[in-house]
Every structure is written in structure tokens, then in C-alpha cells.
Amino acid sequence: MPPADEDSLRHLRLAGVVRLGLGGGRGPTDAYVFDPHRLALPAWACALGESAPPALLVTLDRHLDVVVPERPADMPDRSAGLRALDEHARWHLNVRNYDHILAAMEANLVGDALLIARTRPRGSFAGDTYVDTRGRPHRLISVTTVDRAAEAYRNPGPTDAVRDVIEAASSVLLDVDLDCFTSLSDADPTTVLPWPKAIIREFLLPPDSEPFWDAVLAKAVALTFAREPHHCGGLLPSGELFRDAAEVLFRELLRVEPP
């Protein structure tokens, strides 16, 4: 067997990022799994390469990770290469993992973003258009559930832009944070409650969501999956949650065997 070329092995340079082949299902052919969500940024760079246009980001999360980076102008452009982007994500983005989306816009990896998330961290960008330091506008479409995104895609109202950003995109990066499938306890806000598999399925695959998912997956070039165990109850509870979420996400949505 001939040796693989360097481009096909670029992901092996990303410490802590596991690349999975997803052939045979629907949607993306590659998935990248890691713990800190900010490592999505170099994974997106790896998935898109150096010449593909910026992608639409469709992200499912408990939090709206749209805090502006501390020094957005210092974010390397994607032309600086994978190593520079990876180093910046690890050493310069916030360890709370909430500024990588706008950083990816600064790097010209992400164009618009469809944000399916329920809570807004302190300091989050509040507008519906983020203009990066190079003057490029990026639409930020925020909905709280897949059900609402699917409804806005099927029957868009005057202010709904879900269908618009999907149809305008040349490609999609599908991104999932495992803590999307958790809630904070009403009795103790410091306690994280992982969702059972039935609730994960109800959230990801609500009735009449197929047209939305068909449109997203038809353009999806990669899935990124952040495990973030410290947001999911710790190592053991997050491992069990990852197993349940992977069953629904991979087997039922993407129609491939889970990792």
C-alpha cells in the first residue's frame, strides 16, 4: 500500500482530536471527537482545507458560544495554516470554551451560524450580525430547539432566516456539544442532569424535522462532537451520556454505526 500523503494525515497533528470515518450513511463522511469545544476550530480547518469557502455552522449546544474573543484581530486567518489555528485555539482562546465560533469567523472558516442553544453566557454577542475585524458580516440565527429550527425551515415567517442560511450555504459544518443533552437541576443549579436516551431522541428527531435534517445533511462536510465532561457531570456520567447520544446521533440521524 502506498504511503498516505501529508494532507490526508493532517488530523493526526491535532492532539486530543479523534477522526472517525462515517462512510455508508447520510450526511458527512468524517467526524471529529474531542473534549474542549474550542478544538472544534482546528477540526473545522482540517475538514475544510485551505481553499473551500467558509461554511455554515449548525451547532447544537446548551450554551450560545458567541462571546467575542479577547483580541479578535489576533486570530490567524486560515491561510496561516492548520498549525497556527490549532495553537491559537489551545493557547489563546478562552478555557471556558465560549469564543471559538466568532474566532472561526475571524479566521474565515465559518460564514453564517445557526445556533440551536438555550442559554447565553455572560458577555455573549447580542446582535444578529457579527462583523469581524476584516469587515465581513456573519449572520447569527439563534433558536432554542431542533423543533423550532425545523418549523422555521418548513414554514418560514417574515423574520425567520433558517431556510435562507441553509440554502445560501455551499457547505455545512454540523457541530454538537454533549452538554446540549443536559439540564441544570432546579434544586441545585450546580448539579448537571444528563438526559435519558428517549429525551435525546425527542430533542434531535422531533416530528416533521426530516426536511430540515435532509437539507442540513445534504451539505454537511463534517461533524464535530465536543464531549466536555466537566459540563456533563464528570467523566463517568459524561461517558454514559456520550454512549446514549451517539446511539441517536450516529445510528438514527446519520444512519451509521456509532463509534
Side-chain angles (χ1 to χ4, degrees):
M1 180 180 293
D5 59 55
E6 180 64 23
D7 285 345
S8 68
L9 299 176
R10 281 159 34 108
H11 69 283
L12 296 179
R13 302 290 187 182
L14 302 180
V17 178
V18 177
R19 184 181 182 182
L20 305 170
L22 303 179
R26 64 170 184 165
T29 57
D30 291 300
Y32 299 80
V33 181
F34 40 82
D35 282 350
H37 207 165
R38 64 188 182 277
L39 294 187
L41 193 149
W44 295 335
C46 188
L48 291 175
E50 297 177 359
S51 58
L56 168 68
L57 177 65
V58 177
T59 182
L60 291 84
D61 203 333
R62 195 173 78 208
H63 312 93
L64 284 157
D65 291 336
V66 288
V67 172
V68 179
E70 185 175 348
R71 292 182 294 276
D74 292 347
M75 181 67 216
D77 187 79
R78 64 192 294 187
S79 61
L82 180 61
R83 180 174 180 174
L85 294 171
D86 183 46
E87 181 177 336
H88 192 91
R90 293 174 191 271
W91 292 97
H92 299 283
L93 294 186
N94 198 292
V95 295
R96 296 179 67 182
N97 295 290
Y98 53 27
D99 56 358
H100 53 280
I101 292 178
L102 300 191
M105 292 177 172
E106 293 286 346
N108 204 31
L109 292 166
V110 169
D112 299 328
L114 171 56
L115 311 159
I116 302 174
R118 309 188 300 278
T119 62
R120 185 177 290 275
R122 182 178 298 177
S124 295
F125 181 77
D128 55 13
T129 300
Y130 175 71
V131 179
D132 65 33
T133 56
R134 296 168 176 85
R136 298 171 300 219
H138 306 266
R139 288 179 289 180
L140 301 174
I141 313 304
S142 175
V143 294
T144 54
T145 63
V146 172
D147 182 61
R148 293 189 179 185
E151 173 63 23
Y153 180 82
R154 293 194 317 272
N155 302 300
T159 61
D160 290 330
V162 171
R163 173 175 284 187
D164 186 36
V165 293
I166 293 174
E167 291 183 345
S170 58
S171 62
V172 168
L173 294 164
L174 177 60
D175 175 68
V176 179
D177 190 330
L178 187 61
D179 74 5
C180 180
F181 312 120
T182 65
S183 299
L184 298 180
S185 169
D186 290 337
D188 178 8
T190 65
T191 299
V192 175
L193 302 176
W195 293 356
K197 188 190 297 185
I199 301 301
I200 296 172
R201 181 181 296 111
E202 183 179 321
F203 180 86
L204 274 179
L205 302 171
D208 302 320
S209 61
E210 277 298 296
F212 166 75
W213 281 124
D214 284 344
V216 169
L217 296 178
K219 295 185 176 184
V221 296
L223 164 69
T224 48
F225 200 163
R227 293 182 296 194
E228 298 220 336
H230 56 292
H231 283 168
C232 300
L235 286 174
L236 293 180
S238 68
E240 295 174 2
L241 179 61
F242 179 81
R243 179 197 61 206
D244 288 343
E247 284 283 329
V248 180
L249 178 63
F250 288 90
R251 181 167 284 149
E252 300 185 35
L253 177 61
L254 302 182
R255 299 171 188 167
V256 297
E257 286 302 303

